[in-house]
Amino acid sequence: MNSDMLTRITRYYRALNRLRSIGLEKVFAHNLADAAGVNAVIVRKDFSLLGIHGQKRGGYDILPLVNKLAEILGKGDAQNVIIVGCGRIGKALMNYSGFEPDGIRIVAGFDTDPLVYSDASNPIPLYPMSRLEEVIEALEVKIAILTVPENAAADCFQKLIDANIQGVLNFSPVTLKSQNVDGVLRPIVHNINIALELEQIFYEIQYPKKVKDNN
């Protein structure tokens, strides 16, 4: 499964859970197409490749479809995630309530500032960086979100590697790279540069792409 298809499957899964939450039991390809920003033909093609088949006029039963996509995406028990860097972005993520429905649980935050990690009012436990490995091991954490300044990114990233973190979502201004470990890239790194994403949007507004309508 390539990355584009994985993104679409994730969007289908999220949309299906929203539809379930309002009591719907059936869904059609065009509903999921709208949620994923594609057309219904692509939805049917994706499902066909995954061995998922609906009814021509009845659409798809939502519950078995959710279960199938959850299995494909490796959804099971809630996945524990930590945040390293508890500034504005880190705190915003810790206070975001939308992770739980997707089986994601922010379990701890880490910072170097004593005024930050001694704040007992935070809804999620905060710790000094010196306790990073201990907490990761105790809570069986595999993924970290990195929201530190540029000058701290490389050092924090190395500490996460040393603590056996397997995946990093990086919001720092530095582009971080996975390391080749016995032919396997570890940890998996996704770099999120908000400024670059905005620049891309500005560019696409100025030079819009012509797209073909396949509906």
Side-chain angles (χ1 to χ4, degrees):
M1 184 187 304
N2 62 38
S3 60
D4 289 340
M5 183 176 177
L6 178 60
T7 298
R8 293 195 300 272
I9 296 300
T10 302
R11 289 175 179 171
Y12 301 154
Y13 180 78
R14 293 173 65 94
L16 287 164
N17 277 315
R18 288 197 300 269
L19 294 173
R20 279 185 68 198
S21 70
I22 60 175
L24 296 183
E25 297 180 356
K26 293 274 189 180
V27 67
F28 293 89
H30 67 268
N31 302 129
L32 295 176
D34 289 342
V38 296
N39 59 57
V41 173
I42 292 177
V43 175
R44 296 188 189 98
K45 182 178 178 181
D46 286 341
F47 285 179
S48 178
L49 290 171
L50 297 171
I52 298 171
H53 305 285
Q55 304 168 8
K56 287 186 177 180
R57 295 185 179 180
Y60 300 88
D61 292 320
I62 289 180
L63 182 56
L65 185 53
V66 166
N67 292 338
K68 178 66 175 180
L69 296 186
E71 179 184 344
I72 292 167
L73 294 170
K75 301 282 187 180
D77 296 334
Q79 296 292 320
N80 290 343
V81 177
I82 60 169
I83 292 177
V84 177
C86 300
R88 292 178 181 176
I89 294 177
K91 286 182 178 177
L93 291 171
M94 283 188 283
N95 286 285
Y96 177 59
S97 61
F99 290 129
E100 289 284 348
D102 290 322
I104 299 167
R105 183 168 54 204
I106 306 296
V107 293
F110 294 85
D111 205 278
T112 58
D113 186 346
L115 293 177
V116 173
Y117 60 72
S118 61
D119 181 6
S121 67
N122 200 74
I124 292 169
L126 302 182
Y127 301 97
M129 289 295 293
S130 59
R131 296 192 61 186
L132 186 70
E133 290 195 32
E134 168 199 345
V135 175
I136 286 174
E137 182 178 1
L139 299 179
E140 299 181 344
V141 177
K142 296 179 181 178
I143 296 175
I145 300 174
L146 191 60
T147 62
V148 297
E150 180 176 355
N151 60 356
D155 181 60
C156 289
F157 183 51
Q158 186 59 54
K159 284 181 168 63
L160 291 171
I161 293 173
D162 294 342
N164 295 317
I165 281 292
Q166 297 179 26
V168 175
L169 184 62
N170 174 36
F171 280 89
S172 76
V174 178
T175 298
L176 301 174
K177 296 182 179 180
S178 305
Q179 300 179 356
N180 187 333
V181 180
D182 297 328
V184 178
L185 292 178
R186 287 290 184 269
I188 302 299
V189 179
H190 284 208
N191 294 290
I192 308 295
N193 189 313
I194 297 174
L196 285 179
E197 295 295 332
L198 286 171
E199 287 176 5
Q200 180 67 30
I201 292 174
F202 289 136
Y203 177 85
E204 291 180 11
I205 289 172
Q206 186 173 359
Y207 303 103
K209 299 177 182 177
K210 295 293 184 180
V211 295
K212 186 184 294 184
D213 187 356
N214 293 321
N215 287 321

